[in-house]
Amino acid sequence: MQVQLKNIEVEKSKTTKINEVDFDNLAFGSVYSDHMLVCDYKNGAWETPKIMPYQPIILDPAAKIFHYGQSIFEGMKAYKDTDGKPWLFRPLDNHKRLNISAKRMAIPEIPEETFIEGLTTLLHLEKDWIPTTPGSSLYIRPFVMASGIGFHASPADEYKFIICCAPSGAYFSGKVSVLIEEQYSRSANGGVGYAKAGGNYAGQFYPTQLAIKKGYNQVIWTDDNTHEYIEEAGAMNIFIRINDTLITGPTSDRILDGITRKSILEIAEDEGIKTEVRKISVTEVVTAAKSGKLKEMFGAGTAAVVSPIAAFGYKGVDYDLPELNDDYASLLKKRITDIQYNRTEDKFGWRFKV
């Protein structure tokens, strides 16, 4: 796909931090590249993006982001293959989802050419920041926030669209134990759970801290009404394998339509793995664990791709999952990452050359 955005402004940094970075020991999202993209919405239109040195943002104390939380974001990665060529994975899906979030949060939608050419122009400038250590990548964070001012409770009249990049090592969480939530909810019917709104994640922190104090790593979210149905794993979609069937919940106005989730479903079908997209109850999962039919549980998202769950707790009882040699999690993660790093054919058309 080719897009042409006229007169994009590029101000190159006079210095670089790249020589100070240990690319073999990168924590996730804690080191930032030399440049960022900034695009302002003013007078009813998005202006031409500007690429500038990475720097703090100046905002008025009355900016509505601080008072009414109008903010959305995406998570993406850029990868390098063995020839040093950079690639993206399904970026048009990220753009589409960003605008779904924007619409729900009463934020002006981002034009496709602004998103795609702004992003690719930034990555051409930052290509040396894409790590080549196995499993590493350049994490990309596009986000939009309300910069217009006013204490009145209404949408802002000005916004900032920004893209920042952070070289990150392999995201490995080890053996994760999770607590099935019985009281708190991530989102509710009619709410903003399907949008990548900043407040969704802020609201998760407190219940997650409570779970950590009990010895768990993360929370499994259940439905807001009855807490009887499994919905998400922390900030990730969740997959559950009972016998040889891989199950995940349907998307709704409570559940994020994850890009990794969609990819896993298509790859599983290609592998001949039986999948079901349906509601799955906590009772069904507990019963399957007791009978030995519960084989796997794993989260799916951009950061980790696939994060296996080793155990879960519910109503004071812990249940361990078996260690398998033929687990679906490893197979599906390899299939996705082989496409992302250009190690194999991309029959789905997901890989995007920068």
Side-chain angles (χ1 to χ4, degrees):
M1 173 188 172
Q2 296 291 325
V3 291
Q4 294 297 322
L5 194 66
K6 302 300 182 183
N7 303 318
I8 186 168
E9 298 180 30
V10 178
E11 178 191 350
K12 291 187 178 181
S13 176
K14 293 182 174 62
T15 59
T16 180
K17 307 184 294 282
I18 199 167
N19 297 322
E20 304 169 11
V21 178
D22 182 358
F23 280 91
D24 293 325
N25 294 284
L26 288 168
F28 182 78
S30 60
V31 176
Y32 310 103
S33 67
D34 288 328
H35 299 87
M36 65 183 190
L37 177 142
V38 179
C39 184
D40 288 307
Y41 180 91
K42 294 180 179 180
N43 301 315
W46 286 103
E47 299 178 345
T48 301
K50 301 174 184 178
I51 292 174
M52 62 184 66
Y54 185 92
Q55 60 191 272
I57 302 163
I58 297 175
L59 290 173
D60 191 292
K64 291 198 173 185
I65 176 59
F66 301 132
H67 307 280
Y68 303 110
Q70 267 188 297
S71 71
I72 57 174
F73 70 95
E74 276 296 318
M76 311 170 64
K77 289 180 179 178
Y79 313 83
K80 266 186 181 172
D81 63 20
T82 54
D83 294 326
K85 296 176 182 176
W87 300 88
L88 290 167
F89 183 72
R90 306 187 72 167
L92 295 177
D93 288 283
N94 288 103
H95 171 255
K96 179 181 178 181
R97 190 172 63 182
L98 185 69
N99 278 343
I100 290 172
S101 299
K103 185 175 181 178
R104 180 61 181 84
M105 299 300 291
I107 293 172
E109 296 181 25
I110 307 292
E112 185 176 287
E113 63 272 15
T114 298
F115 185 92
I116 296 296
E117 188 165 341
L119 174 58
T120 54
T121 303
L122 178 63
L123 291 178
H124 282 141
L125 198 61
E126 303 292 74
K127 60 183 182 297
D128 292 340
W129 283 88
I130 305 175
T132 56
T133 304
S136 62
S137 58
L138 183 67
Y139 185 79
I140 303 165
R141 172 55 59 87
F143 63 101
V144 187
M145 62 180 177
S147 55
I149 64 173
F151 290 150
H152 47 290
S154 62
D157 57 359
E158 295 185 359
Y159 298 85
K160 282 188 178 294
F161 167 50
I162 299 173
I163 304 178
C164 299
C165 303
S168 298
Y171 192 99
F172 178 70
S173 54
K175 292 183 178 294
V176 175
S177 63
V178 298
L179 178 66
I180 296 180
E181 183 57 55
E182 300 176 57
Q183 177 182 356
Y184 296 98
S185 299
R186 176 188 172 273
S187 58
N189 288 327
V192 298
Y194 68 91
K196 283 188 75 71
N200 287 346
Y201 298 81
Q204 295 183 34
F205 295 158
Y206 176 66
T208 302
Q209 287 175 342
L210 296 179
I212 290 171
K213 288 180 180 178
K214 294 178 181 178
Y216 300 93
N217 303 106
Q218 193 50 268
V219 168
I220 295 291
W221 300 106
T222 50
D223 69 286
D224 66 303
N225 187 29
T226 65
H227 295 287
E228 293 179 359
Y229 294 94
I230 299 288
E231 298 214 321
E232 291 197 347
M236 309 175 78
N237 294 120
I238 187 168
F239 284 83
I240 296 167
R241 175 184 173 184
I242 296 180
N243 288 327
D244 291 331
T245 301
L246 194 61
I247 308 165
T248 192
T251 56
S252 67
D253 54 12
R254 298 188 310 275
I255 299 177
L256 185 72
D257 187 11
I259 293 167
T260 305
R261 171 189 177 276
K262 292 190 289 191
S263 303
I264 284 174
L265 287 171
E266 290 190 57
I267 289 173
E269 181 181 355
D270 188 61
E271 288 284 346
I273 296 171
K274 182 181 178 182
T275 61
E276 293 180 0
V277 178
R278 63 171 174 83
K279 294 172 69 173
I280 180 167
S281 70
V282 178
T283 300
E284 182 180 359
V285 173
V286 171
T287 300
K290 289 178 177 178
S291 67
K293 294 180 180 180
L294 180 63
K295 304 300 183 183
E296 292 181 75
M297 297 172 66
F298 56 85
T302 298
V305 184
V306 169
S307 181
I309 294 170
F312 72 90
Y314 182 64
K315 291 190 179 298
V317 180
D318 290 332
Y319 301 87
D320 292 322
L321 277 80
E323 294 188 11
L324 305 175
N325 294 321
D326 58 345
D327 61 297
Y328 290 169
S330 298
L331 170 66
L332 295 166
K333 183 173 183 177
K334 186 178 187 304
R335 282 288 307 270
I336 290 177
T337 55
D338 280 350
I339 293 172
Q340 291 171 335
Y341 288 94
N342 194 27
R343 294 191 291 249
T344 189
E345 174 194 4
D346 176 18
K347 63 169 65 176
F348 306 100
W350 293 336
R351 201 161 45 223
F352 184 99
K353 189 173 181 180
V354 177

